Amino acid sequence: MFCPHKNSYLQLVCAMNPRVINKAVDHAMERAHFDPHTELPPAQRLESMQPSLYAPHVDITRAQLGFGRIGLRLLNRALHSTDNLEQLQALHSVLDQVQISENAMFLIDLQLVYRLIDLMLDRDPIIKEKVCLILTSLATYYQGRKRIMSRPVIIENLMRLIMRDRKEIRYAASYTLKTLARDRCACEVIMQNEQIIENLLKMVKSDHTGIVLLHLATLINLVEWDPVRALKANAFQVMLSLFENRDPRIVSKAMDCMSQLCKHDVGKILADDYDLTFVLRRFIKSPHIEVVISAVGLMEYTTLTTRSKWRAKEACNELTSRLVHLCCTHNKPLLQMRCMQVLINLCDSPDIRNHMKFYWEKKVKTIKIRTHEEWDGTSETSSYGLETAHNYRTMCIEKVETIKNDYGDNAEVVNVHSYLRTVLEIKERLLRAINWKPYKN
């Protein structure tokens, strides 16, 4: 019979259509059965079951084989079939089964990853897209990343797809590379490719917006691992040119990547040469909060040098006024921390310190820090963050650094109380910096 909850058949072979059996049983039990795949509205399928490229003679809403261990072994065997249609059906079923963690771990143990890597360069574009989607799901597990990175040739295959193939496949391959780059151990293997940084910088200049965002997320992790190669490849100039992009998401990601570059001494020198602190003045007034957070985060590194502090004195009133007002946005703790850190950096200059002491010390003392009951538990802006309220311990917020008391693979876990205590400590350091005297009275 067909199991709608797991989107699979309970047995491998059946003499009649399992849907007929299901309907007969429901009719005999006089039970109204709701199937979201057949009821209106029809667009209630899993996102993973809606690829951009559709295979012929394959029902994209139903898996072909069972979810049992025997069925998974047959799926793995069917991937080696010479029949293209059988391969497509097996790949579609694997794409469905890897959404279940138990089945994904079993398929990893069956060394499915090695066969998928061999299929990445298949002539059929549908196979290439599905393989990238499956590898992305498997790369979210530690065991999956370990198996995938044991074959470094996957990086060459991904770059070939990213550089030469159609946009649907470029997007899927870029998403796979971004998922792998989140692991620092995988970054070491990825950076062994001699042209990885140069190729990604070439693609961010002219590709589609969604693909550029994925490339920038990959570059942030790779540059954090080794900023020297990116600086030699003129990544600083490329990121600076992306500041003028119309999409605020690209601007924000480019600033985050620039922050990794400015951690290096050469990046700080380039920031002074290009007068980056003055370039960021207009971005901290942006109507997009993501751009403001990224711009202030970049200013944490551009205001470290003596030269930048002297330049900041020329716009002391404007900079300090805007940063102090941003510090008062108590519903964004990450923005508060970054703004206060920039002000601490600027207070190294005696003139700016005296200005802060005279005009803004009382305002800084009144900065409100949220309690853990008032905070939604996220450090980034998200539509989900506005809806979860106090349920951050039970809600899953995707692609957002969630401050929660939970543990898991690749989870960025921070205790809520310690996070807020860090914000309070930064506020105290700012007050000490404002009142700092380099000499004894």
Side-chain angles (χ1 to χ4, degrees):
M1 293 174 61
F2 179 76
C3 177
H5 303 293
K6 291 198 173 183
N7 197 23
S8 301
Y9 294 104
L10 298 182
Q11 69 277 341
L12 302 178
V13 181
C14 185
M16 63 184 301
N17 191 339
R19 295 187 182 89
V20 178
I21 300 177
N22 286 350
K23 290 181 179 179
V25 173
D26 292 339
H27 181 72
M29 297 177 63
E30 298 182 354
R31 184 180 64 183
H33 178 69
F34 174 75
D35 186 357
H37 299 282
T38 57
E39 300 292 335
L40 295 177
Q44 296 191 24
R45 303 179 181 126
L46 292 173
E47 184 179 0
S48 62
M49 310 306 293
Q50 299 183 26
S52 301
L53 305 174
Y54 296 98
H57 311 295
V58 175
D59 184 359
I60 67 169
T61 66
R62 292 291 184 264
Q64 298 297 320
L65 292 176
F67 59 87
R69 296 295 171 88
I70 298 177
L72 295 178
R73 292 182 185 276
L74 291 178
L75 278 179
N76 190 29
R77 190 182 306 168
L79 293 178
H80 297 266
S81 173
T82 57
D83 185 4
N84 182 260
L85 179 58
E86 186 175 352
Q87 267 190 344
L88 285 172
Q89 292 176 336
L91 278 172
H92 168 74
S93 297
V94 170
L95 180 60
D96 177 37
Q97 297 304 315
V98 295
Q99 310 305 319
I100 305 172
S101 59
E102 180 184 357
N103 293 349
M105 295 301 296
F106 184 75
L107 289 171
I108 291 172
D109 292 337
L110 288 179
Q111 299 183 354
L112 174 81
V113 169
Y114 301 143
R115 179 56 183 162
L116 293 176
I117 294 176
D118 294 335
L119 289 174
M120 288 182 68
L121 300 181
D122 195 274
R123 292 185 178 181
D124 194 338
I126 305 170
I127 290 180
K128 289 188 284 190
E129 186 194 27
K130 287 183 180 296
V131 166
C132 291
L133 293 175
I134 295 170
L135 287 174
T136 303
S137 297
L138 296 179
T140 58
Y141 302 94
Y142 166 76
Q143 293 85 349
R145 290 195 300 273
K146 186 177 179 181
R147 286 290 176 89
I148 291 173
M149 300 315 297
S150 65
R151 294 281 300 274
V153 69
I154 187 178
I155 305 303
E156 298 179 8
N157 294 345
L158 286 174
M159 293 311 302
R160 186 175 302 180
L161 298 179
I162 290 172
M163 298 292 292
R164 302 178 184 177
D165 227 306
R166 63 178 70 185
K167 64 178 181 295
E168 294 90 351
I169 299 175
R170 291 205 309 272
Y171 183 88
S174 303
Y175 205 90
T176 304
L177 184 61
K178 175 204 152 200
T179 307
L180 291 172
R182 291 174 58 187
D183 187 10
R184 292 186 62 84
C185 296
C187 285
E188 183 179 4
V189 180
I190 294 173
M191 291 296 284
Q192 292 177 2
N193 188 296
E194 297 180 354
Q195 296 295 322
I196 181 78
I197 297 294
E198 291 77 1
N199 291 336
L200 290 177
L201 290 175
K202 186 185 301 181
M203 297 304 294
V204 298
K205 297 178 182 178
S206 57
D207 218 325
H208 293 273
T209 300
I211 302 176
V212 170
L213 289 172
L214 294 176
H215 289 334
L216 288 173
T218 304
L219 282 169
I220 290 172
N221 294 302
L222 296 181
V223 172
E224 183 182 10
W225 175 262
D226 184 10
V228 176
R229 281 184 56 182
L231 289 168
K232 290 181 178 178
N234 294 327
F236 190 96
Q237 289 79 3
V238 174
M239 295 302 139
L240 189 60
S241 65
L242 291 178
F243 285 7
E244 306 302 325
N245 196 287
R246 295 181 178 179
D247 195 320
R249 296 173 299 170
I250 292 181
V251 177
S252 176
K253 289 289 185 183
M255 289 179 178
D256 292 338
C257 189
M258 184 78 85
S259 299
Q260 303 298 332
L261 294 172
C262 289
K263 291 180 180 180
H264 195 270
D265 293 337
V266 176
K268 293 185 178 69
I269 295 173
L270 288 173
D272 286 338
D273 292 341
Y274 284 90
D275 205 2
L276 208 53
T277 302
F278 265 49
V279 173
L280 295 172
R281 286 166 57 198
R282 60 188 177 93
F283 290 104
I284 62 176
K285 300 179 181 179
S286 172
H288 305 284
I289 188 64
E290 295 87 353
V291 176
V292 176
I293 292 176
S294 297
V296 178
L298 179 54
M299 288 184 71
E300 287 185 80
Y301 300 98
T302 62
T303 55
L304 289 174
T305 61
T306 304
R307 182 177 170 185
S308 64
K309 293 180 176 66
W310 278 95
R311 284 288 288 154
K313 285 170 57 178
E314 300 180 16
C316 179
N317 293 333
E318 178 186 353
L319 275 176
T320 55
S321 173
R322 180 59 178 166
L323 289 172
V324 170
H325 282 91
L326 288 175
C327 288
C328 298
T329 55
H330 61 276
N331 59 336
K332 296 287 184 287
L334 181 63
L335 181 60
Q336 279 186 304
M337 286 196 300
R338 291 184 173 182
C339 290
M340 288 190 284
Q341 185 60 53
V342 174
L343 289 172
I344 291 173
N345 295 343
L346 293 178
C347 283
D348 285 344
S349 171
D351 294 336
I352 299 179
R353 184 166 63 246
N354 292 334
H355 177 82
M356 289 289 298
K357 173 75 173 175
F358 187 77
Y359 289 101
W360 299 112
E361 184 180 11
K362 293 182 180 179
K363 186 74 172 179
V364 170
K365 289 181 179 179
T366 60
I367 292 177
K368 180 183 177 183
I369 306 298
R370 301 189 93 177
T371 62
H372 65 280
E373 292 90 356
E374 298 173 330
W375 190 22
D376 62 357
T378 59
S379 63
E380 299 180 16
T381 56
S382 170
S383 58
Y384 295 101
L386 302 177
E387 298 170 2
T388 54
H390 307 308
N391 297 326
Y392 58 87
R393 286 187 177 87
T394 58
M395 298 291 290
C396 177
I397 305 176
E398 298 294 339
K399 300 179 183 179
V400 174
E401 182 191 352
T402 309
I403 312 303
K404 59 183 180 179
N405 298 324
D406 195 7
Y407 297 90
D409 185 36
N410 232 4
E412 299 178 4
V413 180
V414 181
N415 184 274
V416 177
H417 302 276
S418 63
Y419 196 94
L420 293 174
R421 187 167 59 250
T422 303
V423 183
L424 286 170
E425 291 173 356
I426 293 179
K427 178 182 175 182
E428 293 173 1
R429 288 206 305 269
L430 176 58
L431 290 172
R432 286 200 303 269
I434 293 175
N435 292 284
W436 175 257
K437 295 182 179 180
Y439 55 87
K440 294 183 180 180
N441 290 328

